[in-house]
Amino acid sequence: MLTFGVDPALPTLVRPGSRHPHAVVIGSGFGGLAAAVRLGARGWRVTVLERLAQPGGRARVHRIDGHVFDAGPTVITAPHLFEELWALCGKRLGDEIEMRPVAPFYRIRFDDGTEFDYSGDAAAMRAEVARLAPGDVDGYERFLRTSRAIFEVGFEQLAHRPFDRWTDMARVLPDLLRLEAWRSVHGLAARHVRDPKLRTVLTFQSLLVGGNPFATTSVYCLIAFLERHWGVHFPLGGTGRLVRGLVGLIEGQGGELRCNAGVAEILVKDGAACGVKLESGAVLAADIVVCNADSAQAYRTLLPARHRRRWSDRRIERARYSMSLFVWYFGTRRRYDEVAHHTIVLGPRYRELLDDIFERKHLADDFSLYLHRPTATDPALAPPGRDTFYVLAPVPHLQSGTDWRVQAEPYRAAVQRRLQDTLLPGLEDEITASLMLTPQQFQDELGSFRGAAFGLEPVLTQSAWFRPHNRSEEVGRLFLVGAGTHPGAGLPGVLSSARVLDSLVPTAEEFAHAA
Ligand SMILES: Cc1cc2nc3c(=O)[nH]c(=O)nc-3n(C[C@H](O)[C@H](O)[C@H](O)COP(=O)(O)OP(=O)(O)OC[C@H]3O[C@@H](n4cnc5c(N)ncnc54)[C@H](O)[C@@H]3O)c2cc1C
């Protein structure tokens, strides 16, 4: 009996008796690579097709003059999700890659120069909260207990489960109501602590998954406990080391990664995906297709409109999208040893700036920054005596109308001045390497609709069942992983989306047997 949702009436491309049906994965972001490993472990023959020249998607790597720049994710919060992928291949992550705990998790610098070290050490955190906001210590502890309760439901129970039937949603509704999921992240924090600075400290994390703390469902308050529980880590060699490691696992399973292989169309026969057409014109047959490309863009451009009932172009255009990012990667001739691995450099405004970014879609003159200094943990990511950095600023997505071909350099120069005045004195004379990533490139290079850096915005009305489903609602044998599907953006989210596949896709043997 088929229990995984493969319709026995559908035609199959599996040769009778074959135990290795073929899965094509579109895109090699962390969601796509993790899906490939999981399918490979379940006996599927896997081909990963990537449009860019290298794997990793947002986590690709730039190398300039001895500086190694991880382009995207740097805060690794649930290492066991990676360990699980290595274990599926009979290996140990730790034998290949050393994951170093990072302390503090973040140093937060307020506009007035006050600093707050945010860490996983309970006593140190209590002391920091007492120093910043003496009246809020009890409230902070209550917030953390609430975060734990949300984590136990939101992460441990919901993140790895498919939400492809409305009954899935109905089942969790009582929990969501009990946890007050209709509140925003900031709304929930504000119920527990009064100090505006502490509220910022407890809420900026939702920006790491593309959510405005004032609009994102308070389910994302689980991040506080998730970080406390598993810590914040950084792999020696950089995040790109994890990408290379996953590619190694896929190849070890007999799977294949093809770069410079953009997919132009998902082919459909009798209501089910049956392969893909590449931009080169070549056709690749598949028994299932797993799409890791941005869900909005993939539905708009890869699956012809005649196959779509739910995700029409109109619906996609009316949805809300996360903010974009301006990222500047740079190397310095000297080291700035006093700068922590992860620093949040806040500007003068919080809520108003977020309104500019998310609601008004206005590129403001001020900004808040995240500064990444990986050489604090792994000096080998720069030539001896030098530092490797990237700095990012949340900015509106392309609906702002900003012409980034014109704006990029003045914006970069303003960011540089801000860093010079705060954390990196003399920066202008120290820069060795320099590279920018703008919202336009998120759209043009990474295929993100409107250049949104994290796909659909994680508001309650676009979460779980309301997101594009992991098992496509549109055609059979098409599955979605990555930031634009359930549960959402961020490495724990996209790795969990691949884990959801285990309960939707049969093993190759079951599939071949049923065919
Ligand atoms: C600058 C930055 C910093 C971040 N920092 C963190 C962090 O510290 N911690 C954290 O947890 N998360 C972070 N995130 C979020 C996290 O990186 C993403 O949510 C996650 O990496 C997205 O993975 P994904 O599986 O959705 O795929 P993506 O990385 O989006 O990759 C999708 C891939 O599909 C390919 N593709 C698209 N269309 C096609 C096509 N037609 N044919 C073939 N290939 C195609 C693209 O080229 C791309 O390689 C950050 C994101 C950014 C941008």
Side-chain angles (χ1 to χ4, degrees):
M1 193 181 94
L2 284 169
T3 53
F4 296 92
V6 174
D7 183 345
L10 293 175
T12 179
L13 301 171
V14 188
R15 289 183 307 281
S18 164
R19 285 175 177 252
H20 294 286
H22 185 211
V24 161
V25 178
I26 306 170
S28 65
F30 271 120
L33 294 174
V37 170
R38 289 184 173 276
L39 290 167
R42 290 158 68 80
W44 288 79
R45 183 164 62 86
V46 181
T47 308
V48 182
L49 301 172
E50 169 55 54
R51 183 191 276 137
L52 298 177
Q54 58 162 311
R58 281 154 171 75
R60 67 205 183 290
V61 178
H62 304 296
R63 291 170 197 276
I64 308 173
D65 296 340
H67 294 276
V68 181
F69 297 102
D70 283 311
T74 56
V75 180
I76 313 292
T77 45
H80 70 286
L81 292 174
F82 284 102
E83 282 161 7
E84 217 175 279
L85 297 170
W86 262 258
L88 285 171
C89 300
K91 299 184 174 187
R92 282 189 61 242
L93 171 67
D95 290 341
E96 288 177 37
I97 300 172
E98 186 183 340
M99 300 290 270
R100 279 271 169 92
V102 177
F105 293 167
Y106 317 95
R107 175 161 298 152
I108 298 152
R109 183 192 185 280
F110 293 94
D111 197 43
D112 63 5
T114 322
E115 289 187 340
F116 184 100
D117 274 0
Y118 188 109
S119 72
D121 179 321
M125 271 301 273
R126 212 174 301 118
E128 278 295 83
V129 171
R131 189 175 60 81
L132 185 77
D136 276 332
V137 176
D138 290 346
Y140 164 69
E141 299 285 0
R142 277 199 309 279
F143 173 80
L144 209 56
R145 282 196 294 276
T146 306
S147 168
R148 181 184 188 138
I150 298 173
F151 169 87
E152 283 165 0
V153 175
F155 192 78
E156 299 205 310
Q157 294 181 34
L158 307 185
H160 314 301
R161 251 205 231 161
F163 273 84
D164 57 350
R165 289 178 299 239
W166 69 267
T167 45
D168 297 326
M169 198 71 201
R171 204 175 42 239
V172 302
L173 209 57
D175 278 335
L176 293 178
L177 291 174
R178 182 172 54 80
L179 296 170
E180 306 186 352
W182 72 86
R183 285 187 201 284
S184 68
V185 163
H186 196 272
L188 194 69
R191 268 172 62 87
H192 294 293
V193 301
R194 298 172 69 95
D195 184 83
K197 282 183 175 161
L198 187 58
R199 287 178 178 178
T200 303
V201 163
L202 299 181
T203 58
F204 77 88
Q205 293 84 348
S206 65
L207 287 162
L208 298 177
V209 291
N212 177 354
F214 292 90
T216 299
T217 163
S218 61
V219 171
Y220 281 88
C221 285
L222 67 78
I223 296 175
F225 183 75
L226 182 142
E227 290 176 338
R228 164 74 62 95
H229 193 49
W230 284 307
V232 166
H233 301 263
F234 188 71
L236 291 194
T239 309
R241 191 64 198 81
L242 289 167
V243 173
R244 287 207 306 285
L246 289 175
V247 171
L249 294 183
I250 294 165
E251 290 173 347
Q253 291 172 322
E256 188 189 359
L257 163 72
R258 289 193 212 167
C259 290
N260 299 307
V263 170
E265 187 178 338
I266 296 168
L267 301 174
V268 177
K269 189 174 169 202
D270 297 337
C274 64
V276 293
K277 185 173 170 188
L278 277 77
E279 286 162 359
S280 65
V283 167
L284 201 61
D287 295 288
I288 60 167
V289 174
V290 176
C291 184
N292 175 224
D294 176 64
S295 59
Q297 196 68 341
Y299 273 139
R300 276 180 79 247
T301 61
L302 302 186
L303 191 65
R306 65 180 181 281
H307 297 303
R308 290 184 273 132
R309 283 154 301 161
R310 187 170 182 212
W311 294 103
S312 63
D313 288 357
R314 190 174 141 82
R315 181 170 186 160
I316 290 168
E317 268 149 35
R318 288 168 61 141
R320 289 171 60 111
Y321 292 87
S322 72
M323 82 285 193
S324 193
L325 298 171
F326 171 87
V327 194
W328 176 37
Y329 309 90
F330 61 97
T332 54
R333 197 163 281 122
R334 55 161 283 202
R335 281 177 63 84
Y336 287 90
D337 282 317
E338 56 292 353
V339 176
H341 188 137
H342 303 291
T343 308
I344 308 292
V345 189
L346 292 163
R349 305 182 303 151
Y350 189 49
R351 183 171 197 152
E352 297 76 13
L353 178 63
L354 292 168
D355 280 348
D356 275 346
I357 295 170
F358 284 89
E359 306 302 331
R360 288 189 280 273
K361 314 270 190 305
H362 164 69
L363 183 66
D365 292 334
D366 60 325
F367 31 65
S368 285
L369 305 171
Y370 157 63
L371 181 67
H372 181 223
R373 180 173 170 257
T375 30
T377 301
D378 185 356
L381 294 171
R386 299 190 170 195
D387 258 338
T388 290
F389 287 97
Y390 86 50
V391 59
L392 68 77
V395 293
H397 62 54
L398 290 175
Q399 266 191 330
S400 68
T402 306
D403 182 349
W404 282 100
R405 284 166 308 184
V406 176
Q407 279 300 327
E409 178 49 29
Y411 200 81
R412 187 208 63 75
V415 168
Q416 178 186 314
R417 279 195 298 277
R418 174 80 176 149
L419 290 176
Q420 234 161 255
D421 293 345
T422 51
L423 296 172
L424 307 178
L427 176 60
E428 64 187 332
D429 300 321
E430 302 292 349
I431 298 165
T432 51
S434 174
L435 182 75
M436 286 182 272
L437 174 66
T438 70
Q440 195 63 48
Q441 287 160 292
F442 274 100
Q443 177 174 275
D444 299 347
E445 291 172 16
L446 287 158
S448 309
F449 187 57
R450 298 207 169 123
F454 304 85
L456 282 170
E457 196 183 339
V459 290
L460 191 58
T461 50
Q462 296 189 157
S463 297
W465 183 79
F466 299 110
R467 263 178 125 64
H469 297 174
N470 304 97
R471 170 171 35 204
S472 172
E473 306 93 302
E474 310 294 7
V475 295
R477 297 190 182 181
L478 174 63
F479 301 89
L480 272 63
V481 293
T485 182
H486 170 70
L491 297 193
V494 305
L495 295 177
S496 297
S497 74
R499 204 167 163 198
V500 173
L501 287 195
D502 284 357
S503 52
L504 294 176
V505 180
T507 64
E509 195 170 359
E510 287 163 336
F511 185 93
H513 185 67

Coordinates of all heavy atoms in Angstrom, one line a residue, residues 298-353:
A298 N 9.8 30.3 -8.8 CA 9.7 29.0 -9.5 C 8.3 28.8 -10.0 O 8.1 28.4 -11.1 CB 10.1 27.9 -8.5
Y299 N 7.3 29.1 -9.2 CA 5.9 28.9 -9.7 C 5.6 29.9 -10.8 O 5.0 29.5 -11.8 CB 4.9 29.1 -8.5 CG 4.6 27.9 -7.7 CD1 4.5 27.9 -6.4 CD2 4.5 26.6 -8.4 CE1 4.2 26.7 -5.6 CE2 4.2 25.5 -7.7 CZ 4.1 25.5 -6.3 OH 3.9 24.3 -5.6
R300 N 6.2 31.1 -10.7 CA 5.9 32.1 -11.8 C 6.6 31.7 -13.1 O 6.0 31.9 -14.2 CB 6.4 33.5 -11.4 CG 5.4 34.3 -10.5 CD 6.0 35.6 -10.2 NE 5.9 36.6 -11.3 CZ 6.9 37.1 -11.9 NH1 8.2 36.7 -11.6 NH2 6.8 38.0 -12.9
T301 N 7.8 31.2 -13.0 CA 8.5 31.0 -14.3 C 8.8 29.6 -14.7 O 9.1 29.4 -15.9 CB 9.9 31.8 -14.1 OG1 10.6 31.2 -13.1 CG2 9.7 33.3 -13.8
L302 N 8.8 28.7 -13.8 CA 9.2 27.3 -14.2 C 8.0 26.4 -14.4 O 8.0 25.4 -15.1 CB 10.1 26.6 -13.1 CG 11.4 27.4 -12.7 CD1 12.2 26.5 -11.8 CD2 12.2 27.7 -14.0
L303 N 6.8 26.7 -13.7 CA 5.6 25.9 -13.9 C 4.6 26.7 -14.7 O 4.1 27.7 -14.1 CB 5.1 25.4 -12.5 CG 4.1 24.3 -12.6 CD1 4.6 23.0 -13.1 CD2 3.5 24.1 -11.2
P304 N 4.3 26.3 -15.9 CA 3.4 27.1 -16.7 C 2.1 27.3 -16.0 O 1.6 26.5 -15.2 CB 3.2 26.2 -18.0 CG 4.4 25.4 -18.0 CD 4.8 25.1 -16.6
A305 N 1.5 28.5 -16.3 CA 0.3 28.9 -15.5 C -0.9 27.9 -15.7 O -1.7 27.8 -14.7 CB -0.2 30.3 -16.1
R306 N -0.9 27.2 -16.8 CA -2.1 26.3 -16.9 C -2.1 25.1 -15.9 O -3.1 24.5 -15.7 CB -2.1 25.7 -18.4 CG -0.9 24.8 -18.7 CD -1.0 24.3 -20.1 NE 0.1 23.4 -20.4 CZ 1.4 23.8 -20.8 NH1 1.6 25.1 -20.8 NH2 2.3 23.0 -21.0
H307 N -0.9 24.9 -15.2 CA -0.8 23.9 -14.2 C -1.1 24.4 -12.8 O -1.0 23.7 -11.8 CB 0.5 23.2 -14.2 CG 0.9 22.5 -15.5 ND1 0.1 21.5 -16.1 CD2 1.9 22.7 -16.4 CE1 0.6 21.1 -17.2 NE2 1.7 21.8 -17.4
R308 N -1.3 25.7 -12.7 CA -1.4 26.3 -11.3 C -2.8 26.8 -11.0 O -3.4 27.5 -11.8 CB -0.4 27.5 -11.2 CG 1.0 27.0 -11.2 CD 1.9 28.2 -11.0 NE 2.3 28.9 -12.2 CZ 2.3 30.2 -12.4 NH1 1.9 31.0 -11.4 NH2 2.6 30.7 -13.5
R309 N -3.3 26.3 -9.9 CA -4.6 26.8 -9.4 C -4.5 27.7 -8.2 O -5.0 28.8 -8.1 CB -5.5 25.6 -9.1 CG -6.1 24.9 -10.2 CD -6.5 23.5 -9.9 NE -5.2 22.8 -9.4 CZ -5.2 21.7 -8.7 NH1 -6.3 21.2 -8.3 NH2 -4.0 21.2 -8.3
R310 N -3.6 27.3 -7.3 CA -3.5 28.1 -6.1 C -2.5 29.2 -6.2 O -2.8 30.4 -5.8 CB -3.1 27.2 -4.9 CG -3.1 27.9 -3.6 CD -2.9 26.9 -2.4 NE -3.0 27.7 -1.1 CZ -2.3 27.3 -0.1 NH1 -1.5 26.3 -0.1 NH2 -2.4 28.1 1.0
W311 N -1.3 28.9 -6.8 CA -0.3 29.9 -6.8 C -0.3 30.6 -8.2 O 0.7 30.5 -9.0 CB 1.1 29.3 -6.5 CG 1.1 28.9 -5.0 CD1 0.9 27.6 -4.5 CD2 1.1 29.8 -3.9 NE1 0.9 27.6 -3.2 CE2 1.0 28.9 -2.7 CE3 1.2 31.1 -3.7 CZ2 1.0 29.5 -1.4 CZ3 1.2 31.7 -2.4 CH2 1.1 30.8 -1.3
S312 N -1.4 31.3 -8.4 CA -1.5 32.1 -9.7 C -0.5 33.3 -9.6 O 0.0 33.7 -8.5 CB -2.9 32.6 -9.8 OG -3.1 33.5 -8.8
D313 N -0.2 33.8 -10.8 CA 0.7 35.0 -10.8 C 0.2 36.1 -9.9 O 0.9 36.8 -9.2 CB 0.9 35.5 -12.2 CG 1.8 34.6 -13.1 OD1 2.2 33.6 -12.5 OD2 1.9 34.9 -14.3
R314 N -1.1 36.3 -9.9 CA -1.8 37.4 -9.2 C -1.6 37.1 -7.7 O -1.2 38.0 -6.9 CB -3.3 37.4 -9.5 CG -4.0 38.5 -9.0 CD -5.5 38.4 -9.5 NE -6.4 38.8 -8.5 CZ -6.8 40.0 -8.3 NH1 -6.2 41.0 -8.9 NH2 -7.7 40.3 -7.3
R315 N -1.8 35.9 -7.2 CA -1.6 35.6 -5.8 C -0.1 35.8 -5.4 O 0.2 36.3 -4.3 CB -2.0 34.2 -5.6 CG -1.9 33.8 -4.1 CD -2.5 32.5 -3.8 NE -2.5 32.2 -2.4 CZ -3.3 31.4 -1.8 NH1 -4.2 30.8 -2.4 NH2 -3.2 31.3 -0.5
I316 N 0.8 35.4 -6.3 CA 2.2 35.5 -5.9 C 2.5 37.0 -5.8 O 3.3 37.4 -4.9 CB 3.1 34.8 -7.0 CG1 2.9 33.3 -6.9 CG2 4.5 35.2 -6.9 CD1 3.5 32.5 -8.1
E317 N 2.0 37.8 -6.7 CA 2.3 39.2 -6.7 C 1.7 39.9 -5.5 O 2.2 40.9 -5.0 CB 1.8 39.9 -8.0 CG 2.9 39.9 -9.0 CD 2.4 39.8 -10.4 OE1 1.3 40.4 -10.7 OE2 3.1 39.2 -11.3
R318 N 0.6 39.4 -5.0 CA -0.1 40.0 -3.8 C 0.5 39.6 -2.5 O 0.2 40.2 -1.5 CB -1.6 39.7 -3.9 CG -2.3 40.5 -5.0 CD -3.6 40.0 -5.3 NE -4.5 40.2 -4.1 CZ -5.7 40.6 -4.1 NH1 -6.3 40.8 -5.3 NH2 -6.4 40.7 -3.0
A319 N 1.3 38.6 -2.5 CA 1.9 38.1 -1.2 C 2.9 39.1 -0.7 O 3.3 40.0 -1.4 CB 2.6 36.7 -1.5
R320 N 3.2 38.9 0.6 CA 4.2 39.8 1.2 C 5.6 39.1 1.2 O 5.7 37.9 1.5 CB 3.8 40.1 2.7 CG 2.6 41.0 2.8 CD 2.2 41.0 4.3 NE 3.2 41.5 5.1 CZ 3.2 42.7 5.8 NH1 2.1 43.5 5.6 NH2 4.1 43.1 6.5
Y321 N 6.6 39.9 0.9 CA 8.0 39.3 0.8 C 8.9 39.9 1.8 O 8.7 41.1 2.3 CB 8.5 39.5 -0.6 CG 7.7 38.6 -1.6 CD1 6.5 39.1 -2.2 CD2 8.0 37.3 -1.8 CE1 5.7 38.3 -2.9 CE2 7.2 36.5 -2.5 CZ 6.1 37.0 -3.1 OH 5.3 36.2 -3.8
S322 N 9.9 39.1 2.2 CA 10.8 39.6 3.2 C 11.6 40.8 2.7 O 11.5 41.1 1.5 CB 11.8 38.5 3.5 OG 12.7 38.3 2.4
M323 N 12.4 41.4 3.6 CA 13.2 42.5 3.1 C 14.3 42.0 2.2 O 14.6 40.8 2.2 CB 13.8 43.3 4.3 CG 15.0 42.7 5.0 SD 14.6 41.3 6.0 CE 16.1 41.1 6.9
S324 N 15.1 42.8 1.6 CA 16.3 42.4 0.9 C 17.5 42.8 1.8 O 17.3 43.3 2.9 CB 16.4 43.0 -0.4 OG 17.4 42.4 -1.2
L325 N 18.7 42.7 1.2 CA 19.9 43.0 2.0 C 20.8 43.7 1.0 O 20.9 43.4 -0.2 CB 20.6 41.8 2.5 CG 19.8 40.9 3.5 CD1 20.6 39.6 3.8 CD2 19.6 41.7 4.8
F326 N 21.6 44.6 1.6 CA 22.8 45.2 0.9 C 24.0 44.6 1.7 O 24.0 44.7 2.9 CB 22.8 46.7 1.0 CG 24.1 47.2 0.5 CD1 24.3 47.5 -0.9 CD2 25.2 47.5 1.3 CE1 25.5 48.0 -1.4 CE2 26.4 47.9 0.9 CZ 26.5 48.2 -0.5
V327 N 24.8 43.9 0.9 CA 26.0 43.2 1.6 C 27.3 43.7 1.0 O 27.4 43.8 -0.3 CB 25.9 41.7 1.5 CG1 26.9 41.0 2.5 CG2 24.5 41.1 1.7
W328 N 28.2 44.1 1.8 CA 29.5 44.5 1.4 C 30.6 43.6 2.0 O 30.7 43.5 3.2 CB 29.8 46.0 1.8 CG 31.2 46.5 1.4 CD1 31.9 46.1 0.3 CD2 32.0 47.3 2.1 NE1 33.1 46.8 0.3 CE2 33.2 47.5 1.4 CE3 31.9 48.0 3.4 CZ2 34.3 48.3 1.9 CZ3 32.9 48.8 3.8 CH2 34.1 49.0 3.1
Y329 N 31.3 42.9 1.1 CA 32.3 42.0 1.6 C 33.7 42.7 1.4 O 33.9 43.3 0.4 CB 32.4 40.7 0.7 CG 31.0 40.1 0.5 CD1 30.2 40.4 -0.6 CD2 30.6 39.1 1.4 CE1 28.9 39.8 -0.7 CE2 29.4 38.5 1.2 CZ 28.5 38.9 0.2 OH 27.3 38.3 0.0
F330 N 34.4 42.8 2.5 CA 35.7 43.5 2.4 C 36.8 42.8 3.2 O 36.5 42.2 4.2 CB 35.5 45.0 2.7 CG 35.1 45.2 4.1 CD1 36.0 45.6 5.1 CD2 33.7 45.2 4.4 CE1 35.6 45.8 6.4 CE2 33.3 45.4 5.7 CZ 34.2 45.8 6.7
G331 N 38.0 43.0 2.8 CA 39.2 42.6 3.5 C 39.9 43.8 4.0 O 39.9 44.8 3.4
T332 N 40.7 43.6 5.1 CA 41.5 44.7 5.6 C 42.9 44.2 5.8 O 43.2 43.1 6.1 CB 41.0 45.2 7.0 OG1 40.9 44.1 7.9 CG2 39.6 45.9 6.9
R333 N 43.8 45.2 5.6 CA 45.3 45.0 5.6 C 45.7 44.6 7.1 O 46.8 44.1 7.3 CB 45.9 46.3 5.2 CG 47.3 46.3 4.8 CD 47.6 47.5 4.0 NE 47.2 47.4 2.6 CZ 46.3 48.3 2.1 NH1 45.9 49.3 2.8 NH2 45.9 48.1 0.8
R334 N 44.9 45.1 8.1 CA 45.3 44.8 9.5 C 44.2 44.0 10.1 O 43.1 43.8 9.5 CB 45.5 46.1 10.2 CG 44.3 47.0 10.1 CD 44.3 48.1 11.2 NE 43.9 47.5 12.5 CZ 43.4 48.3 13.5 NH1 43.3 49.6 13.4 NH2 43.0 47.7 14.6
R335 N 44.4 43.5 11.3 CA 43.4 42.8 12.1 C 42.8 43.8 13.1 O 43.4 44.7 13.6 CB 44.0 41.6 12.9 CG 44.2 40.4 12.0 CD 44.8 39.3 12.7 NE 44.0 38.8 13.8 CZ 43.0 37.9 13.7 NH1 42.7 37.4 12.5 NH2 42.3 37.5 14.7
Y336 N 41.5 43.6 13.3 CA 40.7 44.4 14.3 C 40.3 43.5 15.4 O 39.2 43.0 15.5 CB 39.5 45.1 13.7 CG 39.8 46.2 12.8 CD1 40.0 46.0 11.4 CD2 39.9 47.5 13.3 CE1 40.2 47.1 10.6 CE2 40.1 48.6 12.4 CZ 40.3 48.4 11.1 OH 40.6 49.4 10.2
D337 N 41.3 43.1 16.3 CA 41.1 42.0 17.3 C 40.1 42.3 18.3 O 39.5 41.4 18.9 CB 42.4 41.7 17.9 CG 43.3 40.8 17.0 OD1 42.7 39.9 16.3 OD2 44.5 41.1 16.9
E338 N 39.8 43.6 18.5 CA 38.8 43.9 19.5 C 37.3 43.7 19.0 O 36.4 43.8 19.8 CB 39.0 45.4 20.1 CG 39.0 46.5 19.0 CD 40.2 46.5 18.0 OE1 41.1 45.7 18.2 OE2 40.1 47.2 17.1
V339 N 37.2 43.5 17.7 CA 35.8 43.3 17.2 C 35.4 41.8 17.3 O 36.2 40.9 16.9 CB 35.8 43.8 15.7 CG1 34.4 43.5 15.0 CG2 36.1 45.3 15.6
A340 N 34.2 41.6 17.8 CA 33.7 40.3 18.0 C 33.3 39.6 16.6 O 33.3 40.2 15.6 CB 32.4 40.3 18.8
H341 N 33.1 38.3 16.7 CA 32.7 37.6 15.4 C 31.4 38.1 14.8 O 31.4 38.3 13.6 CB 32.6 36.1 15.8 CG 32.5 35.2 14.5 ND1 33.1 34.0 14.4 CD2 31.7 35.3 13.4 CE1 32.8 33.5 13.2 NE2 31.9 34.3 12.6
H342 N 30.4 38.3 15.7 CA 29.1 38.8 15.2 C 28.8 40.1 15.9 O 28.6 40.0 17.2 CB 28.0 37.8 15.4 CG 28.2 36.4 14.9 ND1 28.2 36.2 13.5 CD2 28.4 35.2 15.5 CE1 28.3 34.9 13.3 NE2 28.5 34.3 14.5
T343 N 28.7 41.2 15.2 CA 28.3 42.4 15.9 C 27.1 43.0 15.2 O 27.0 43.1 14.0 CB 29.4 43.5 15.8 OG1 30.6 42.9 16.3 CG2 29.1 44.7 16.7
I344 N 26.1 43.5 16.0 CA 25.0 44.2 15.5 C 25.2 45.7 15.8 O 25.4 46.0 17.0 CB 23.6 43.8 16.2 CG1 23.5 42.2 16.1 CG2 22.4 44.5 15.5 CD1 23.2 41.6 14.7
V345 N 25.3 46.5 14.8 CA 25.6 47.9 15.0 C 24.2 48.6 14.7 O 23.9 48.9 13.5 CB 26.6 48.4 14.0 CG1 27.1 49.8 14.3 CG2 27.8 47.5 13.9
L346 N 23.6 49.0 15.8 CA 22.2 49.6 15.6 C 22.3 51.1 15.3 O 23.2 51.8 15.8 CB 21.4 49.4 16.9 CG 21.0 47.9 17.2 CD1 20.6 47.8 18.6 CD2 19.9 47.5 16.2
G347 N 21.4 51.5 14.5 CA 21.3 52.9 14.2 C 20.4 53.7 15.1 O 20.0 53.1 16.1
P348 N 20.1 54.9 14.8 CA 19.3 55.7 15.8 C 17.8 55.3 15.8 O 17.2 55.6 16.8 CB 19.4 57.1 15.2 CG 19.7 57.0 13.7 CD 20.5 55.7 13.6
R349 N 17.3 54.6 14.8 CA 15.9 54.3 14.8 C 15.7 52.7 14.7 O 16.5 52.1 14.1 CB 15.2 54.9 13.6 CG 15.4 56.4 13.5 CD 14.6 56.9 12.3 NE 15.0 56.3 11.0 CZ 14.2 56.2 10.0 NH1 12.9 56.6 10.0 NH2 14.6 55.6 8.8
Y350 N 14.7 52.2 15.4 CA 14.4 50.8 15.3 C 13.1 50.6 14.5 O 13.0 50.3 13.4 CB 14.4 50.2 16.7 CG 14.3 48.6 16.7 CD1 15.2 47.9 15.9 CD2 13.4 48.0 17.5 CE1 15.2 46.5 15.9 CE2 13.4 46.6 17.5 CZ 14.3 45.8 16.8 OH 14.2 44.5 16.8
R351 N 12.0 50.8 15.2 CA 10.7 50.6 14.6 C 10.5 51.4 13.3 O 10.0 50.9 12.3 CB 9.5 50.9 15.6 CG 8.2 50.6 14.9 CD 7.0 50.7 15.8 NE 6.0 50.0 15.2 CZ 5.0 49.4 15.8 NH1 4.9 49.4 17.1 NH2 4.1 48.7 15.2
E352 N 10.9 52.7 13.4 CA 10.7 53.6 12.2 C 11.5 53.1 11.0 O 11.0 53.1 9.9 CB 11.1 55.0 12.5 CG 10.2 55.6 13.6 CD 10.6 55.2 15.0 OE1 11.6 54.5 15.2 OE2 9.8 55.4 16.0
L353 N 12.7 52.6 11.3 CA 13.5 52.1 10.2 C 12.9 50.8 9.6 O 12.9 50.7 8.4 CB 15.0 51.8 10.7 CG 15.9 51.2 9.7 CD1 16.2 52.2 8.6 CD2 17.3 50.8 10.4

